[in-house]
Amino acid sequence: GTVKLSPSKPILPGPKQVFREYEDGIAVRDTITRAGEVAAGEPLLRAVMREGRRLEAGRASLEEARRHAASQIRSLPQRLRLLTRADPAYPVQISRALRAFQEEVTREARAERKVPS
């Protein structure tokens, strides 16, 4: 595959998962990991398509999807739900394994293209 190297827009290569941690029902941080990696919190991503076909897990009714979206929005800190410009700081971490994989892919891409660091 092709890896696009841009210092202003780093890539996180490969399949990923996102884990969300909560305190008292409010989201406090997300951690982006490699797929198959386990981290603290609730995994947010799930397969809904495979080989171009929708899986049963992806067959939520419109009302179920609305309820789920509303529940997820309610779990966000109040400052992130405001329509005014507020402090958008919400911690999103990159797992060590994903960061190491990112560095490995970047090194290999630079070596193949002889791109300076």
Side-chain angles (χ1 to χ4, degrees):
T2 301
V3 176
K4 184 176 177 183
L5 298 177
S6 170
S8 63
K9 189 176 180 185
I11 58 144
L12 297 174
K16 288 166 273 310
Q17 178 58 275
V18 178
F19 289 86
R20 178 162 291 160
E21 293 180 67
Y22 298 89
E23 288 179 8
D24 299 322
I26 301 297
V28 293
R29 90 185 45 78
D30 291 353
T31 301
I32 304 171
T33 68
R34 294 185 74 181
E37 191 179 349
V38 177
E42 171 191 345
L44 299 182
L45 305 179
R46 62 187 172 99
V48 294
M49 300 281 290
R50 184 164 288 119
E51 296 177 6
R53 295 184 186 227
R54 189 165 60 170
L55 303 173
E56 286 300 316
R59 293 186 184 266
S61 71
L62 182 56
E63 190 52 41
E64 289 168 328
R66 284 181 178 146
R67 278 196 301 270
H68 178 72
S71 168
Q72 291 297 302
I73 290 168
R74 280 192 306 274
S75 78
L76 294 174
Q78 178 67 27
R79 70 184 188 279
L80 298 180
R81 292 184 274 149
L82 298 173
L83 295 178
T84 60
R85 227 170 148 78
D87 175 16
Y90 176 80
V92 176
Q93 307 172 143
I94 308 299
S95 74
R96 286 186 185 137
L98 181 54
R99 182 72 67 204
F101 186 54
Q102 176 191 39
E103 291 168 1
E104 176 187 336
V105 167
T106 301
R107 269 194 312 276
E108 288 174 4
R110 284 193 172 120
E112 286 175 14
R113 296 186 185 130
K114 296 180 176 46
V115 174
S117 298

